[in-house]
Amino acid sequence: MAKRELDKNFNRTLIEVGSELTMRNITDLINRARFASAQAEGIMGSDNKAAALFDELQIGGLLSMTDVDWLIEDLDFLKLRNVRNILELYKLRNQLLVEKVIEERETEEIPQPAPPGANLSVVKQPIPAVTPGKVTAVIQTPPEPIPATPGKVNDRKHKIFISFSFKDEEKASGIKDRIEEHLGPGSCWICTSELRRGCDIDKGIAEAIDKATVLVCLVSDNYTASPDCEKEGQLAHQQRKEFLPILLESVKWPLTKRNGEAHPMRMAFAQLIYIPLYEDKEGGGSEQCERIIRALEEMLA
């Protein structure tokens, strides 16, 4: 099962990278002198150069992390940010899959052998005495089931991932509080400044997105300029999560950066209905906030 998921992760990455790389990009990568001349000739002579490039990097059906790391360095040098982000997400998914396998093995129950001299014979239960002419029924009453406690908190715990620029942290914290007033404490996962200190943020974010149902995106010029927000959006999009864009300020739509460049999530966001929270008076009005709560309740239903 684990090998199948790892292979699926590799094949997905191959398709995504192949759709982004042009022949010029591949030529530039090869010219970075990471390949022997025979390997370079084989890649350039292939009909599918992206697949051939990965075949040269492939080890046992997977990309080694060393290969991924130097490829990311080269993509940084060539300013191919979209492809670099794809490989960063590949690394995160692989790390989570490997840790999942380890966790399953650690929690797996292994039957213990019986100690030497243990009595393995079947113990027969005594049969109750029966009065002649009278049938005695032995009834074992099962314990009554414990009714489930109704409530939204457990059902919706961390089902909402809030993606935002750390420059908008104060606004994000206020929106989280407003959502949890209606949907229950703990329904939102948010990466605060305190959480960032002394922990593996990339791993924590990847796990939180994996558990979430909805990605709430707090869109602003700060958001569109944030590489971290790009990675969160792409990872959630690959996992087919629900998206709810909330505009903290007026931005060009479909999603565009302040400098006029198209945002990597532009096509994914183009079909979504956003909520212009900035239209509420002082950001704390009622109309747009009510729309946010209604939308989230429908997505989590």
Side-chain angles (χ1 to χ4, degrees):
M1 176 66 75
K3 179 65 165 61
R4 192 182 309 128
E5 289 190 38
L6 289 167
D7 285 342
K8 186 188 295 185
N9 187 23
F10 174 82
N11 291 328
R12 181 202 297 183
T13 304
L14 176 61
I15 293 169
E16 291 170 353
V17 171
S19 66
E20 291 285 345
L21 284 176
T22 65
M23 182 173 174
R24 174 64 183 274
N25 297 151
I26 295 173
T27 303
D28 290 342
L29 283 170
I30 291 172
N31 288 339
R32 292 277 290 162
R34 301 276 187 171
F35 295 97
S37 58
Q39 291 176 305
E41 289 174 5
I43 295 171
M44 295 309 298
S46 172
D47 291 334
N48 188 338
K49 293 178 176 55
L53 172 66
F54 270 58
D55 284 341
E56 292 295 342
L57 300 172
Q58 197 172 354
I59 298 177
L62 300 173
L63 275 179
S64 74
M65 290 304 102
T66 302
D67 291 331
V68 172
D69 286 338
W70 71 247
L71 193 53
I72 286 173
E73 289 178 12
D74 289 349
L75 292 166
D76 268 339
F77 178 82
L78 297 171
K79 295 182 172 55
L80 297 173
R81 178 181 289 178
N82 284 358
V83 185
R84 180 194 186 284
N85 287 345
I86 290 171
L87 291 180
E88 288 279 13
L89 294 174
Y90 170 81
K91 284 180 62 178
L92 283 174
R93 289 195 302 260
N94 251 32
Q95 181 183 2
L96 290 174
L97 287 171
V98 171
E99 290 180 356
K100 181 179 177 183
V101 172
I102 294 172
E103 185 179 344
E104 287 174 353
R105 287 177 180 174
E106 288 177 346
T107 57
E108 192 177 48
E109 292 185 6
I110 302 174
Q112 298 296 321
N119 184 4
L120 302 179
S121 59
V122 177
V123 179
K124 296 182 179 180
Q125 299 294 330
I127 300 174
V130 179
T131 304
K134 183 178 179 182
V135 177
T136 302
V138 181
I139 301 175
Q140 294 182 346
T141 306
E144 294 185 4
I146 300 174
T149 303
K152 300 178 180 177
V153 177
N154 290 338
D155 293 341
R156 294 173 171 172
K157 184 173 178 62
H158 292 172
K159 291 298 183 181
I160 301 165
F161 181 100
I162 299 181
S163 177
F164 65 98
S165 164
F166 287 119
K167 294 180 180 179
D168 297 324
E169 183 170 352
E170 186 176 347
K171 292 180 181 178
S173 181
I175 291 169
K176 169 203 173 265
D177 292 343
R178 180 63 65 91
I179 291 172
E180 292 190 340
E181 283 177 13
H182 295 270
L183 302 184
S187 53
C188 296
W189 192 95
I190 185 170
C191 185
T192 61
S193 299
E194 293 181 1
L195 188 62
R196 279 183 285 166
R197 299 191 187 105
C199 64
D200 187 344
I201 288 301
D202 285 343
K203 177 185 172 185
I205 287 174
E207 289 177 343
I209 291 175
D210 186 54
K211 294 175 183 176
T213 300
V214 182
L215 198 80
V216 169
C217 303
L218 305 185
V219 181
S220 65
D221 283 337
N222 294 327
Y223 177 92
T224 61
S226 168
D228 290 333
C229 292
E230 283 184 24
K231 284 197 280 188
E232 291 164 5
Q234 289 175 333
L235 181 58
H237 184 58
Q238 288 167 2
Q239 295 185 19
R240 302 184 183 279
K241 303 293 183 180
E242 297 264 18
F243 282 86
L244 179 62
I246 298 175
L247 305 194
L248 301 183
E249 59 193 30
S250 179
V251 297
K252 188 174 180 182
W253 200 267
L255 203 56
T256 305
K257 296 183 179 182
R258 184 186 301 173
N259 61 8
E261 291 181 7
H263 192 275
M265 292 297 294
R266 178 186 177 93
M267 294 305 295
F269 277 31
Q271 301 175 358
L272 301 176
I273 298 176
Y274 60 80
I275 297 179
L277 183 63
Y278 66 91
E279 291 184 358
D280 274 350
K281 298 296 183 182
E282 299 178 357
S286 59
E287 182 180 352
Q288 304 305 334
C289 286
E290 289 173 2
R291 287 184 62 194
I292 291 170
I293 300 305
R294 286 199 303 270
L296 289 172
E297 285 179 335
E298 289 177 7
M299 290 174 170
L300 297 175

